Amino acid sequence: MSEPRKDGGADAAEVAGIHAEAELERAYDADLLLRLWHYVRPYRVIFWALLAVLPVASALMLLQPYLLKIGIDRYVETGDVAGLSSVAVVFFLAVLGEFAALYLQYYLTMSVAQRSLADLRRDLFAHMERLPQAFFDKNPVGRLVTRVTTDVDVLNEAFATGAMTIFMDLLTLSGIVALLLWLDWRMALATLTVVPILLLAINFFRKRARVTYRTIRERIARINSFLQESISGMSIIQLFAHERESYAEFGTHNGSHRDANHLANIYEASLFSIVEAASSISMAIVVWYGSGQILAGVIAFGSLVAFIEYMQKFFIPIRDFSAKYAVLQSAMTAAERIFQLLDTEAEPGTQSTAPVSADEAERGAVVFEDVWFAYKREEWVLRDVSLSVRPGETVAIVGATGSGKTTLTKLLGRSFEVGRGAVRVSGRDVREWNVRELRREVGIVLQDAFLFAGSVASNVGLGRDGVTEEDLWRTIRAANLGGFVESLPRGMQEPIRERGNNLSAGQRQLLAMARALAYDPRILVLDEATSSVDTETEQKIQEALERLLKGRTAIVIAHRLSTVERADRIVVLHKGEVREVGTHAELIERGEIYARLYELQYSGARSRGAENPAGDVSA
Amino acid sequence: MGRLIGYLRHYRARFIAGCLCLVVTASLAMSVPLVLKCGVDHLADELARSGASVQGAPATSRVAGLAGNEPCLPGVTGADVSTYALLIVAIALVQAFARACSRFLIFNVARDVEYDLRNDLFAHLESLPLDFYHRQTTGDLMSRLVNDIGAVRLMLGPAVLNLLNTPIYYAYGVSIMAAIDPALTLAALAPYPLVILVMRHNGRRLMEGTLRVQEGLAEMSSTIQENVSGIHVVKSYALEDVEAERFEKQNRRLREASLKLAKVRAIIGPTMRVVSALGILVVLWMGGTRVAEGRLTMGDLVAFIGYLNALAWPTMALGWMFAMVQRGRAGMQRLQAVFAEEPSIADPPRASGERGPKIDNGEIELRGVSFAYPDAPDAPVLRDIDVNIPAGATVALVGRAGSGKTSLLRLLPRLFDATSGEVRIAGRDVREYDLLELRRAISMVPQEPFLFSTSIRANIAFGIPALGTDGKEGERRIHEAAEWAAVAQDLESFPRHYETMVGERGITLSGGQKQRVTLARALLVDSPILVLDDSLSSVDTHTEERILEALEQRRRGRTCLIVAHRLSTVQDADLILVLDKGRIIARGDHATLVAEGGLYADLFRRQRLTEELEAI
């Protein structure tokens, strides 16, 4: 109860973007785009519609300054008020059209984005569910949550404000240049002289800004990991009176982050101001050059106004370009991480197309044949384990902590692959099975139950089709939960909170048994809970257990005395090896490992009730 | 908010300078359309005088400036068009400078405040008791330190800038336009309230939509979280498809909510653009008519268009600015909640200059101590503990998991304060000492070895950082501590010895190595009290014996408190305290307790069995 909490740490690491350092600097990658296109493809009709709308929006926007020119040159200067009104009407229509086009542009973009990204999310989740257990042991929860939520969101953002608008910006920019050249090519060239200078300046700042941004990312990552670590290790900091030093160190990280940001602010402010200045200077050029043209009678006032208007519109996308570029960059990084997850190899055997079925003659039999297993190279957790369980037999596995009991069960469900030797279920090597079929055959039940948020019904019935309410009730009664569920205000539909937090340990165990009963596997692997429950619940659990074991092969990691006493055979695992096999009476008689284990684990349990049966004395 | 103003005050010089630059920028920006107007009017005049208009004489009278011989801009006489063009360039250059200054001054102040806020928050976190960290998840705290501080910065930077900018632009724009033609001004700005209307109409939908999308995301996150934590259940019950389907339902809900939100957003964005376009339309139509009628000049028309363009951006900024301020305020509130946490375990109040008492020996006394964790006040974990430990004694605490051993140890350095009773060290209540003094007097090796992601040297020198950098003497003492903790050999085998980085950016130590490094860290500090909270559990028996032997030889009168599960560790203690359910149920030395035959004897028997099993 009093250990510093470590959950949520991983989330924070993600918030921190600790991995941001590894970020690659690029906004374009053909392979990634191609893979993204795969998700857009189903909605390509919307996508093409969107591509059709973009030039329309652009054109309607660019039409307005031109209408201004016509209005001024043709009607204002001639005093033709009626003509002016008709131009105004066209202008109004252009504005309405632009509104509609912009609306469509945004909505269609989001339509494509949300739909294809929802598909991507679905695939990500489904793929994640098929990743091997070892993957989950290595990757913190927070990181996986980030992949499916935040990273996909970054892509959405890129769709919304990045990619599509950059395309439209390019259209607009080229449209403006074309129109200017068409209106008066000399004046256009004169006005656009600022552009090369501007591009040089932008390039100058962008290069520096990019380096600074990278520094900022590294430094914020450092701040965040420092913070995270300090929060987790706060008691150490306090115990060793290290507050002042930690504060100073934090201040250094914090300060260097601030300094880098100051620099970035200067670059950004300069860039922004230069673009604005260029816009004003181009206006001055229009006035200066344009006045000569007007006096020379080449153009009229309207063109001057139109030029000014076009130049204004010209600089806005240029100003926003670097921000959009940054969005694209982070989107590419996100896409890369997403596809990396999608490329992580799924569990072996999930894709198997030709599922082998059980050998009916040996249905329900389990055989371990000279099995060796190590999580880390050559550190054997199981050594040469051979064990044969007959159909319908109940075998109890006992052993001290770390003797390899749990590992044994993990090999059965093929959470891990054997190092050497073979495991056979119902007459077939587990590697021949389709993993899902295998797990229908072998049900692994942890009594210290992990329950899902949902209802009693959803936790027992597991959302499977064709399970009637009646079936559920039968199962629940068989698990001795009938009275309890009936007493709940909403009965079977009573909500269960995350991890079953609103239930007692005993209720969770009973629910886990009900779940196993409903699952009804041919072979049952049960890891008995060690948590203490009151005598009455213990009684109920034992009854339910008997019903659960009846008529099927069962391998039980036993913590209850009653279980070992009733088992057909007891297998004693010691330091990864099978050391003794026999019935309770035989092994007690023998007076070696089991006899000691029995005294250590079960004899105390008899005198003290169910409390602390494992005995935490062993270090 | 008061706190923020306090921070801003630090930087008021730069902040005010930034605001002044902002005013200069805005003024210059709003003078450009006026210069443009003069240039155009001048041009029209020249055109009229030269009579060279292609449109013929009657037309030129309509567009000619009405100003006559008066200078268009105060102080500008005898100007021609190129003068105005040059003036625009000059304004642009000065404005660029002022704009750059205003932006980085204000944004940098925002960064400075972020820096201060983060530092202060960190300092505050350091002062908070362990109890706070038990209540709060790291994830939540990190989110405050990262996201909420970020939101506050955005509020102080871009939001403040625009909050100042927009009114200045409007003040200038509206007054200059009104001076030229009040009626046209009114008409041109008539579409602008549309923004407010659309915002008001959609604001609620926007809020609700955003909320729904966020809820959808949150729901999805917890499903993923649940699936990842319970993946063993998913797999053993072959639930992959069922769960994928459940996820897909949420996914589809989120998609629909997002699309609905997109519809609202799709209206708001274009509205902003359309409003300024409609303003220009009004100028063209109504203003154009007035020019045609000779009541306005062409220059006025150009000026109006200029002003409407200039107002477009500040108007758009209004929209997201409010959202930003909202988020910033919410963020500040969440930060304030952390600041509001009391550092309930702190130094005793003292008159300035007065120095607290010193701890000069390791005598420990507990008088009627009871303790319950603050989050479970009704479930005391220690009850009526009375014990007196003379300086220099070795005391072992024994008991089952959850009997209160660790909790008892935590009371000594005041990681928690006793609920009732007194914890006394060197003859005084621990609450009378300054925390620094108290904690320097106790070297504690906690149950979970925690190392920081830095070099092994810095980790060992954690209690006396100066030694980590202090050349020869530091070197000697760090090596000595490592030697005592029986980790020196391991460290020598690492490629960079004591400079080896551990954790995130370095190597992963084994559990036993970690424990021994944390032991070295505690041994380096030569404090009168040494506390080992089951801190050798991952060290093999042989090494443990070596360590204990070394400790025994070099303890120099230290008081030692040891929690251990291996009773071999405990056997030689001067006093053994047996805890059960928060009470001391037996005390004495090994021989007496075994003879008594209670819980200790039982634990001892089990220990022997375990050792026998290990030996098989």
Side-chain angles (χ1 to χ4, degrees):
Chain A
M1 86 187 276
S2 46
E3 290 309 319
R5 284 187 192 148
K6 294 202 189 72
D7 52 346
D11 308 73
E14 287 296 327
V15 173
I18 279 168
H19 313 283
E21 288 162 80
E23 226 169 81
L24 297 162
E25 299 288 339
R26 60 156 177 249
Y28 170 80
D29 183 314
D31 288 341
L32 287 179
L33 287 181
L34 207 67
R35 294 189 71 171
L36 281 175
W37 171 248
H38 173 75
Y39 285 94
V40 176
R41 242 184 84 88
Y43 310 106
R44 56 185 178 279
V45 177
I46 311 178
F47 185 76
W48 298 131
L50 170 63
L51 282 192
V53 165
L54 288 179
V56 174
S58 213
L60 286 171
M61 185 175 86
L62 294 182
L63 181 62
Q64 290 162 28
Y66 189 71
L67 288 172
L68 219 55
K69 170 192 141 59
I70 292 181
I72 290 171
D73 286 352
R74 289 214 193 129
Y75 304 110
V76 174
E77 293 214 25
T78 56
D80 180 353
V81 176
L84 188 60
S85 301
S86 56
V87 171
V89 170
V90 177
F91 195 106
F92 183 68
L93 292 177
V95 172
L96 281 189
E98 191 196 354
F99 180 85
L102 284 177
Y103 176 88
L104 275 178
Q105 181 243 326
Y106 187 82
Y107 185 69
L108 292 178
T109 306
M110 293 315 285
S111 258
V112 176
Q114 290 298 340
R115 282 169 222 270
S116 33
L117 293 179
D119 291 355
L120 178 61
R121 242 188 234 122
R122 179 197 61 208
D123 285 4
L124 260 174
F125 186 85
H127 184 75
M128 195 183 80
E129 299 272 288
R130 282 175 174 70
L131 290 172
Q133 183 68 44
F135 178 85
F136 294 93
D137 296 343
K138 267 186 301 200
N139 287 280
V141 179
R143 188 177 301 171
L144 296 170
V145 177
T146 305
R147 283 303 158 276
V148 188
T149 54
T150 317
D151 280 348
V152 175
D153 240 33
V154 170
L155 283 184
N156 177 34
E157 171 78 12
F159 254 109
T161 64
M164 285 304 138
T165 41
I166 280 193
F167 183 61
M168 187 166 155
D169 287 349
L170 286 176
L171 272 178
T172 308
L173 286 179
S174 31
I176 289 174
V177 172
L179 276 165
L180 290 183
L181 288 172
W182 178 64
L183 280 174
D184 185 329
W185 66 271
R186 275 164 307 221
M187 189 152 106
L189 289 181
T191 317
L192 292 173
T193 47
V194 290
V195 173
I197 303 168
L198 181 68
L199 289 181
L200 277 179
I202 287 179
N203 204 32
F204 175 84
F205 282 110
R206 215 198 46 204
K207 266 193 196 144
R208 273 155 192 76
R210 206 162 57 187
V211 177
T212 317
Y213 286 143
R214 199 183 307 143
T215 319
I216 290 173
R217 275 203 299 272
E218 280 166 15
R219 289 182 181 169
I220 191 75
R222 190 147 2 119
I223 285 184
N224 289 332
S225 58
F226 187 86
L227 265 175
Q228 169 128 30
E229 193 165 87
S230 300
I231 292 173
S232 321
M234 192 54 86
S235 66
I236 302 295
I237 291 178
Q238 293 179 345
L239 277 174
F240 284 86
H242 200 263
E243 288 97 337
R244 214 171 301 164
E245 289 82 8
S246 287
Y247 178 75
E249 197 181 339
F250 181 71
T252 318
H253 293 318
N254 197 8
S256 73
H257 173 249
R258 176 200 55 192
D259 294 343
N261 269 304
H262 278 174
L263 200 61
N265 280 342
I266 292 178
Y267 290 144
E268 263 170 40
S270 308
L271 192 58
F272 189 85
S273 308
I274 286 174
V275 176
E276 291 284 316
S279 169
S280 293
I281 290 170
S282 75
M283 194 189 293
I285 295 175
V286 170
V287 170
W288 170 72
Y289 194 90
S291 63
Q293 297 287 84
I294 288 179
L295 288 174
V298 181
I299 60 165
F301 281 108
S303 298
L304 196 75
V305 173
F307 252 83
I308 292 174
E309 278 282 285
Y310 281 129
M311 284 321 284
Q312 294 252 321
K313 293 194 193 300
F314 185 80
F315 286 101
I316 294 171
I318 290 186
R319 193 182 62 194
D320 298 344
F321 179 72
S322 38
K324 287 174 186 170
Y325 187 80
V327 171
L328 280 189
Q329 259 185 350
S330 42
M332 281 297 145
T333 315
E336 187 159 25
R337 293 202 293 219
I338 288 171
F339 288 126
Q340 226 165 39
L341 182 65
L342 278 175
D343 289 343
T344 309
E345 216 164 307
E347 260 184 309
T350 44
Q351 319 294 353
S352 166
T353 42
V356 278
S357 50
D359 182 342
E360 280 307 324
E362 293 191 55
R363 193 80 196 263
V366 172
V367 177
F368 284 84
E369 207 176 82
D370 308 328
V371 169
W372 291 70
F373 177 79
Y375 290 100
K376 276 190 232 156
R377 280 180 73 86
E378 300 296 306
E379 284 179 33
W380 297 109
V381 182
L382 293 178
R383 300 153 181 272
D384 201 20
V385 170
S386 290
L387 172 67
S388 168
V389 183
R390 288 183 299 276
E393 192 183 16
T394 298
V395 169
I397 299 189
V398 298
T401 315
S403 57
K405 293 171 294 187
T406 310
T407 306
L408 203 65
T409 62
K410 283 183 176 164
L411 297 183
L412 257 183
R414 213 175 159 210
S415 293
F416 294 94
E417 303 268 0
V418 293
R420 296 181 212 155
V423 177
R424 278 204 292 279
V425 166
S426 292
R428 303 274 187 198
D429 192 308
V430 288
R431 283 165 291 199
E432 290 171 28
W433 282 87
N434 173 303
V435 167
R436 315 272 294 289
E437 302 266 333
L438 174 68
R439 289 177 187 156
R440 285 288 307 140
E441 190 83 354
V442 183
I444 299 177
V445 183
L446 298 171
Q447 249 186 71
D448 243 342
F450 184 98
L451 298 178
F452 292 93
S455 61
V456 172
S458 72
N459 267 288
V460 174
L462 296 171
R464 233 179 288 282
D465 297 330
V467 181
T468 64
E469 176 116 0
E470 211 171 305
D471 294 338
L472 287 179
W473 274 115
R474 200 165 351 159
T475 316
I476 282 176
R477 294 216 175 86
N480 271 337
L481 269 171
F484 167 67
V485 175
E486 272 162 23
S487 76
L488 293 170
R490 296 178 58 193
M492 194 86 83
Q493 298 308 320
E494 182 74 8
I496 286 180
R497 285 207 299 268
E498 211 173 79
R499 290 177 177 239
N501 281 336
N502 49 342
L503 300 177
S504 75
Q507 287 160 349
R508 281 204 294 271
Q509 289 184 30
L510 288 172
L511 257 182
M513 293 177 118
R515 181 162 69 183
L517 273 169
Y519 191 62
D520 194 22
R522 179 64 56 115
I523 299 163
L524 179 79
V525 178
L526 180 73
D527 197 342
E528 277 191 328
T530 54
S531 58
S532 54
V533 292
D534 58 75
T535 334
E536 195 191 338
T537 314
E538 178 63 26
Q539 190 66 38
K540 285 185 178 173
I541 290 175
Q542 293 206 12
E543 281 171 26
L545 190 61
E546 263 170 58
R547 284 182 203 132
L548 187 58
L549 298 182
K550 209 154 81 191
R552 60 183 111 230
T553 314
I555 297 173
V556 186
I557 297 178
H559 290 295
R560 284 193 181 78
L561 185 58
S562 57
T563 313
V564 285
E565 282 174 344
R566 212 164 300 153
D568 297 322
R569 269 191 300 162
I570 297 167
V571 173
V572 180
L573 264 186
H574 192 66
K575 294 179 181 169
E577 289 176 71
V578 176
R579 296 288 293 266
E580 295 171 11
V581 180
T583 63
H584 177 66
E586 285 165 12
L587 292 179
I588 289 286
E589 180 93 352
R590 194 168 160 174
E592 286 182 27
I593 299 175
Y594 179 77
R596 287 192 176 83
L597 274 171
Y598 171 76
E599 204 181 339
L600 193 61
Q601 297 191 350
Y602 307 108
S603 68
R606 188 162 272 167
S607 57
R608 284 200 314 276
E611 183 193 335
N612 198 18
D616 64 300
V617 184
S618 54
Chain B
M1 288 296 128
R3 180 180 290 275
L4 280 186
I5 290 171
Y7 288 126
L8 279 178
R9 197 167 289 153
H10 274 277
Y11 306 104
R12 58 172 172 264
R14 278 190 291 140
F15 189 70
I16 291 170
C19 292
L20 287 178
C21 285
L22 202 63
V23 175
V24 171
T25 311
S27 317
L28 288 173
M30 293 316 260
S31 65
V32 170
L34 209 57
V35 178
L36 214 54
K37 164 191 145 64
C38 295
V40 170
D41 283 346
H42 186 91
L43 191 60
D45 278 346
E46 229 173 277
L47 203 59
R49 267 199 297 280
S50 71
S53 166
V54 280
Q55 267 83 22
T60 47
S61 69
R62 287 196 184 85
V63 296
L66 301 173
N69 291 328
E70 265 175 69
C72 178
L73 287 172
V76 181
T77 47
D80 68 3
V81 177
S82 55
T83 317
Y84 293 116
L86 278 176
L87 197 56
I88 292 177
V89 172
I91 289 174
L93 292 178
V94 178
Q95 192 195 347
F97 182 72
R99 190 193 296 275
C101 287
S102 73
R103 288 181 83 85
F104 77 73
L105 281 171
I106 291 177
F107 289 170
N108 279 2
V109 167
R111 284 288 178 190
D112 285 322
V113 173
E114 179 191 33
Y115 166 82
D116 288 344
L117 197 54
R118 209 180 254 141
N119 268 351
D120 286 1
L121 206 56
F122 187 77
H124 187 70
L125 284 178
E126 286 188 326
S127 77
L128 291 178
L130 204 50
D131 162 46
F132 171 78
Y133 295 96
H134 285 186
R135 279 186 279 124
Q136 210 83 33
T137 62
T138 311
D140 178 66
L141 278 179
M142 284 301 291
S143 136
R144 284 172 206 250
L145 281 155
V146 178
N147 302 335
D148 291 332
I149 286 187
V152 170
R153 180 182 55 76
L154 286 178
M155 173 173 77
L156 289 180
V160 160
L161 189 115
N162 284 294
L163 214 56
L164 292 169
N165 216 19
T166 305
I168 301 176
Y169 268 68
Y170 264 91
Y172 270 107
V174 172
S175 58
I176 296 175
M177 285 194 292
I180 298 173
D181 186 337
L184 184 60
T185 307
L186 217 58
L189 292 180
Y192 279 64
L194 200 66
V195 175
I196 299 164
L197 267 177
V198 169
M199 283 306 271
R200 178 173 287 178
H201 184 243
N202 288 296
R204 218 237 201 84
R205 287 168 60 200
L206 190 68
M207 275 273 276
E208 282 170 2
T210 312
L211 218 65
R212 205 154 301 133
V213 168
Q214 270 165 356
E215 280 166 9
L217 271 172
E219 182 188 46
M220 226 155 75
S221 304
S222 39
T223 302
I224 301 164
Q225 195 131 15
E226 200 180 27
N227 263 272
V228 174
S229 344
I231 192 73
H232 54 283
V233 178
V234 172
K235 288 189 176 297
S236 40
Y237 283 99
L239 285 177
E240 291 93 340
D241 290 341
V242 176
E243 284 301 303
E245 208 169 290
R246 180 161 79 107
F247 179 80
E248 179 56 10
K249 263 187 208 140
Q250 297 174 350
N251 192 18
R252 221 169 295 149
R253 254 205 306 278
L254 175 67
R255 191 185 71 187
E256 293 321 309
S258 302
L259 285 175
K260 223 170 155 187
L261 179 63
K263 270 186 200 161
V264 182
R265 286 233 174 103
I267 295 221
I268 291 176
T271 302
M272 300 290 182
R273 254 215 47 75
V274 158
V275 158
S276 80
L278 283 179
I280 288 179
L281 166 63
V282 170
V283 171
L284 172 66
W285 186 48
M286 184 171 156
T289 310
R290 288 176 176 233
V291 174
E293 288 165 7
R295 286 156 60 196
L296 267 185
T297 67
M298 186 61 89
D300 293 332
L301 198 70
V302 171
F304 260 89
I305 293 174
Y307 282 117
L308 288 178
N309 276 332
L311 287 181
W313 172 246
T315 310
M316 268 196 238
L318 265 182
W320 48 261
M321 195 177 64
F322 282 114
M324 222 176 237
V325 171
Q326 286 297 333
R327 278 222 300 273
R329 284 174 55 129
M332 196 58 213
Q333 252 167 32
R334 278 164 55 85
L335 293 178
Q336 205 62 47
V338 178
F339 278 120
E341 286 284 339
E342 285 289 328
S344 56
I345 292 180
D347 291 341
R350 257 182 243 297
S352 63
E354 190 195 342
R355 308 192 92 191
K358 295 276 168 226
I359 296 176
D360 52 10
N361 68 72
E363 189 199 342
I364 300 169
E365 194 188 352
L366 276 75
R367 286 190 193 161
V369 168
S370 294
F371 174 62
Y373 282 98
D375 54 355
D378 299 329
V381 290
L382 292 175
R383 304 160 199 255
D384 298 321
I385 302 282
D386 277 298
V387 68
N388 199 339
I389 300 168
T394 298
V395 175
L397 277 77
V398 173
R400 292 202 201 96
S403 56
K405 294 166 299 202
T406 298
S407 304
L408 191 148
L409 297 181
R410 283 176 167 171
L411 299 182
L412 300 178
R414 291 188 73 199
L415 287 178
F416 288 90
D417 274 340
T419 318
S420 64
E422 248 185 290
V423 178
R424 299 171 69 86
I425 286 178
R428 279 173 197 270
D429 192 309
V430 286
R431 284 166 290 199
E432 288 174 36
Y433 297 108
D434 286 340
L435 281 178
L436 195 71
E437 175 64 20
L438 178 68
R439 288 173 179 169
R440 287 244 160 103
I442 301 170
S443 295
M444 192 156 176
V445 189
Q447 231 167 358
E448 287 278 323
F450 186 95
L451 294 177
F452 292 87
S453 312
T454 165
S455 68
I456 288 177
R457 173 193 304 284
N459 266 300
I460 295 180
F462 199 72
I464 314 176
L467 285 183
T469 50
D470 177 31
K472 270 226 155 89
E473 172 63 8
E475 192 94 344
R476 192 184 63 74
R477 289 192 49 190
I478 288 171
H479 286 207
E480 199 178 50
E483 200 68 51
W484 292 349
V487 71
Q489 265 184 356
D490 298 57
L491 299 184
E492 293 300 337
S493 75
F494 294 152
R496 298 185 57 209
H497 308 301
Y498 286 79
E499 303 309 324
T500 307
M501 301 294 277
V502 290
E504 215 172 84
R505 290 183 172 73
I507 60 162
T508 311
L509 299 179
S510 76
Q513 285 170 335
K514 264 194 212 163
Q515 285 192 333
R516 282 176 285 152
V517 173
T518 54
L519 180 64
R521 175 172 71 192
L523 291 178
L524 182 78
V525 187
D526 203 3
S527 46
I529 299 171
L530 177 67
V531 178
L532 306 183
D533 185 359
D534 194 16
S535 22
L536 298 171
S537 57
S538 308
V539 176
D540 65 79
T541 324
H542 175 68
T543 313
E544 184 181 3
E545 265 163 34
R546 249 176 66 208
I547 293 172
L548 291 172
E549 232 164 79
L551 275 183
E552 189 53 41
Q553 282 168 18
R554 299 184 177 84
R555 49 193 294 189
R556 299 184 196 131
R558 280 182 185 183
T559 310
C560 284
L561 266 79
I562 301 177
V563 169
H565 281 128
R566 276 188 208 131
L567 296 195
S568 54
T569 315
V570 164
Q571 281 176 38
D572 299 328
D574 301 322
L575 174 69
I576 298 168
L577 301 175
V578 183
L579 269 85
D580 190 38
K581 294 178 183 151
R583 289 180 203 279
I584 295 179
I585 55 163
R587 60 181 88 197
D589 65 6
H590 178 71
T592 338
L593 289 171
V594 170
E596 265 177 34
L599 177 60
Y600 184 82
D602 189 36
L603 288 174
F604 185 62
R605 189 179 54 84
R606 287 161 156 276
Q607 172 67 25
R608 271 213 327 251
L609 275 170
T610 310
E611 273 165 21
E612 277 174 38
L613 269 174
E614 260 173 40
I616 292 175

